[in-house]
Amino acid sequence: MRILLVEDEKRMAQALCEILRLEKYEVDHFSDGFDGLCAVESNIYDIIILDVMLPGINGYEIAKKARRKGIATPILMLTAKAELDDKVMGLDSGADDYLTKPFMAKELLARLRALGRRTLGTTDGTLSYGDITLDTCALTLSCVTNGQSVRLSEKEYHILEYLIANKGQILTREQLALKIWGLDSDAEYNNVEVYMSFTRKKLAFVEAKTEIKAVRGIGYELRCDDV
């Protein structure tokens, strides 16, 4: 799951990035409101953590602009303001949740898990398609027909997570590169090909009938024609 963090307090941002990466989230960080807005508008994130007070443009305006453009990504708004009116303003701007500084890491992570379940459409921490299930906590791929399972690397997990979340759709190499490696990455399409090959081998290892099919000249889709 890829998270966008827009936070201008350097120490806070560094601490949050470290915490989130330890929890196996992919994180992109921006400290300026305008840069944050551009990242939001890329629409490649699963969750957005958005500070209110930012240089350039504040978090309220970023949330409003995102919703006007039809971006439905869940937004968790952070602020030092604890007044009820400030919380109402944040929620009315388009935020899905609101957390007042200072806060405990456990509470932040719990709120992110709740938003993540909503994004992925799961209530028990697993994603399913065809004859496979994906454990979003243990990063494990399992075949439901034979009980075989295998641990995935982070990139393999994110590829399958993204494909399952967009089942029935063809994802382009560009979409996959942006989603898995992020805006600031210098990853090339070759990276997508290499990790797609690794992921296919994991599907074959558990003897799943679900396959990642290449659509020539376009990208990839997840298929399971035999289940």
Coordinates of all heavy atoms in Angstrom, one line a residue, residues 33-66:
G33 N 3.1 22.6 0.2 CA 1.7 22.4 -0.2 C 1.5 22.2 -1.7 O 0.7 21.3 -2.1
F34 N 2.2 23.0 -2.5 CA 2.0 22.8 -4.0 C 2.6 21.5 -4.5 O 2.0 20.9 -5.4 CB 2.7 24.0 -4.7 CG 2.0 25.3 -4.5 CD1 2.6 26.4 -3.9 CD2 0.7 25.5 -5.0 CE1 1.9 27.6 -3.7 CE2 0.0 26.7 -4.9 CZ 0.6 27.7 -4.2
D35 N 3.7 21.1 -4.0 CA 4.3 19.8 -4.4 C 3.4 18.7 -3.9 O 3.1 17.7 -4.6 CB 5.7 19.6 -3.7 CG 6.7 20.5 -4.3 OD1 6.5 21.0 -5.5 OD2 7.7 20.8 -3.6
G36 N 2.8 18.8 -2.7 CA 1.9 17.9 -2.2 C 0.6 17.7 -3.0 O 0.1 16.6 -3.3
L37 N 0.1 18.9 -3.5 CA -1.1 18.9 -4.4 C -0.8 18.2 -5.7 O -1.6 17.4 -6.1 CB -1.5 20.3 -4.6 CG -2.7 20.5 -5.6 CD1 -3.9 19.8 -5.0 CD2 -3.0 21.9 -5.8
C38 N 0.4 18.4 -6.3 CA 0.7 17.7 -7.5 C 0.8 16.2 -7.3 O 0.3 15.4 -8.1 CB 2.1 18.2 -8.0 SG 2.1 19.9 -8.7
A39 N 1.3 15.8 -6.1 CA 1.4 14.4 -5.8 C 0.0 13.8 -5.6 O -0.3 12.7 -6.1 CB 2.3 14.1 -4.6
V40 N -0.8 14.5 -4.9 CA -2.2 14.1 -4.7 C -2.9 13.9 -6.1 O -3.6 12.9 -6.3 CB -3.0 15.1 -3.9 CG1 -4.5 14.8 -3.9 CG2 -2.5 15.1 -2.4
E41 N -2.7 14.8 -7.0 CA -3.4 14.8 -8.3 C -2.9 13.7 -9.2 O -3.5 13.4 -10.2 CB -3.3 16.2 -9.0 CG -4.1 17.2 -8.3 CD -3.9 18.6 -8.9 OE1 -2.9 18.8 -9.6 OE2 -4.8 19.5 -8.6
S42 N -1.7 13.1 -8.9 CA -1.3 11.9 -9.6 C -2.2 10.7 -9.4 O -2.2 9.8 -10.3 CB 0.2 11.6 -9.2 OG 0.2 11.0 -7.9
N43 N -2.9 10.7 -8.3 CA -3.9 9.7 -8.0 C -3.3 8.3 -8.0 O -4.0 7.3 -8.5 CB -5.1 9.8 -9.0 CG -6.4 9.2 -8.4 OD1 -6.5 9.0 -7.2 ND2 -7.3 8.8 -9.3
I44 N -2.1 8.1 -7.5 CA -1.5 6.8 -7.4 C -1.4 6.3 -6.0 O -0.9 5.2 -5.8 CB -0.1 6.8 -8.0 CG1 0.9 7.7 -7.2 CG2 -0.1 7.2 -9.5 CD1 2.3 7.6 -7.5
Y45 N -2.0 7.0 -5.0 CA -1.8 6.7 -3.6 C -3.1 5.9 -3.1 O -4.2 6.2 -3.6 CB -1.5 7.9 -2.8 CG -0.2 8.5 -3.2 CD1 -0.1 9.6 -4.1 CD2 1.0 7.9 -2.7 CE1 1.1 10.1 -4.5 CE2 2.2 8.4 -3.1 CZ 2.3 9.5 -4.0 OH 3.5 10.0 -4.4
D46 N -2.9 5.1 -2.1 CA -4.0 4.4 -1.4 C -4.5 5.2 -0.2 O -5.7 5.1 0.1 CB -3.5 3.0 -0.9 CG -3.0 2.2 -2.1 OD1 -3.8 1.8 -2.9 OD2 -1.8 1.8 -2.1
I47 N -3.6 6.0 0.4 CA -4.0 6.8 1.6 C -3.1 8.1 1.5 O -2.0 8.0 1.2 CB -3.8 6.1 2.9 CG1 -4.6 4.9 3.0 CG2 -4.2 7.1 4.1 CD1 -4.4 4.0 4.3
I48 N -3.7 9.2 1.9 CA -3.0 10.5 2.0 C -3.0 11.0 3.4 O -4.1 11.1 4.0 CB -3.6 11.6 1.1 CG1 -3.6 11.1 -0.4 CG2 -3.0 12.9 1.3 CD1 -4.5 11.9 -1.3
I49 N -1.8 11.2 4.0 CA -1.7 11.8 5.3 C -1.4 13.3 5.0 O -0.3 13.6 4.5 CB -0.6 11.2 6.2 CG1 -0.9 9.7 6.3 CG2 -0.6 11.9 7.5 CD1 0.2 8.9 7.1
L50 N -2.2 14.2 5.5 CA -2.1 15.6 5.1 C -2.1 16.5 6.3 O -3.1 16.6 7.0 CB -3.3 15.9 4.2 CG -3.5 17.3 3.5 CD1 -2.3 17.5 2.6 CD2 -4.7 17.3 2.7
D51 N -1.0 17.3 6.4 CA -0.9 18.3 7.5 C -1.8 19.5 7.0 O -2.0 19.7 5.8 CB 0.5 18.7 7.7 CG 0.7 19.6 8.9 OD1 -0.1 19.5 9.8 OD2 1.6 20.4 8.9
V52 N -2.3 20.2 8.0 CA -3.1 21.4 7.7 C -2.3 22.6 7.3 O -2.4 23.2 6.3 CB -4.1 21.7 8.8 CG1 -4.7 23.1 8.6 CG2 -5.1 20.7 9.0
M53 N -1.3 23.0 8.2 CA -0.5 24.1 8.0 C 0.7 23.8 7.2 O 1.7 23.2 7.6 CB -0.1 24.7 9.4 CG -1.2 25.0 10.3 SD -2.4 26.2 9.5 CE -1.4 27.7 9.4
L54 N 0.7 24.2 5.9 CA 1.8 23.9 5.0 C 2.2 25.2 4.2 O 1.4 26.1 4.0 CB 1.3 22.9 4.0 CG 1.0 21.5 4.4 CD1 0.2 20.7 3.4 CD2 2.3 20.7 4.8
P55 N 3.5 25.3 3.8 CA 3.8 26.4 3.0 C 3.2 26.3 1.6 O 3.1 25.2 1.1 CB 5.4 26.3 2.9 CG 5.7 24.9 3.3 CD 4.6 24.4 4.2
G56 N 2.9 27.4 1.0 CA 2.3 27.4 -0.4 C 0.8 27.3 -0.4 O 0.1 28.2 -0.9
I57 N 0.3 26.2 0.1 CA -1.2 26.0 0.1 C -1.5 25.1 1.2 O -0.8 24.1 1.5 CB -1.7 25.4 -1.3 CG1 -3.2 25.1 -1.2 CG2 -0.9 24.1 -1.6 CD1 -3.7 24.7 -2.6
N58 N -2.5 25.4 2.0 CA -2.8 24.6 3.2 C -3.6 23.3 2.9 O -4.1 23.1 1.8 CB -3.6 25.4 4.2 CG -5.0 25.8 3.8 OD1 -5.7 25.0 3.3 ND2 -5.3 27.1 4.0
G59 N -3.6 22.4 3.9 CA -4.2 21.1 3.7 C -5.7 21.1 3.4 O -6.2 20.3 2.6
Y60 N -6.4 22.1 3.9 CA -7.8 22.2 3.6 C -8.0 22.4 2.1 O -8.9 21.8 1.5 CB -8.4 23.4 4.4 CG -8.4 23.3 5.9 CD1 -8.2 24.4 6.6 CD2 -8.8 22.1 6.5 CE1 -8.2 24.4 8.0 CE2 -8.8 22.1 7.9 CZ -8.5 23.2 8.7 OH -8.5 23.1 10.0
E61 N -7.2 23.3 1.5 CA -7.4 23.6 0.1 C -7.0 22.4 -0.8 O -7.5 22.1 -1.8 CB -6.6 24.9 -0.3 CG -7.1 26.1 0.3 CD -8.6 26.4 -0.2 OE1 -8.8 26.2 -1.4 OE2 -9.4 26.7 0.6
I62 N -5.9 21.7 -0.3 CA -5.5 20.5 -1.1 C -6.6 19.5 -1.1 O -6.9 18.9 -2.1 CB -4.2 19.9 -0.4 CG1 -3.0 20.9 -0.6 CG2 -3.9 18.6 -1.1 CD1 -1.8 20.4 0.1
A63 N -7.2 19.3 0.1 CA -8.3 18.3 0.1 C -9.5 18.7 -0.7 O -10.1 17.9 -1.5 CB -8.8 18.1 1.6
K64 N -9.8 20.0 -0.7 CA -10.9 20.5 -1.5 C -10.7 20.3 -3.0 O -11.5 19.8 -3.8 CB -11.2 22.0 -1.2 CG -11.8 22.3 0.1 CD -12.0 23.8 0.3 CE -12.6 24.1 1.7 NZ -12.6 25.6 1.9
K65 N -9.5 20.7 -3.4 CA -9.1 20.5 -4.8 C -9.1 19.1 -5.3 O -9.5 18.7 -6.4 CB -7.7 21.2 -5.1 CG -7.7 22.7 -5.0 CD -6.3 23.2 -5.2 CE -6.3 24.8 -5.0 NZ -7.0 25.5 -6.1
A66 N -8.6 18.2 -4.4 CA -8.6 16.8 -4.7 C -10.0 16.2 -5.0 O -10.3 15.5 -5.9 CB -7.9 16.0 -3.6

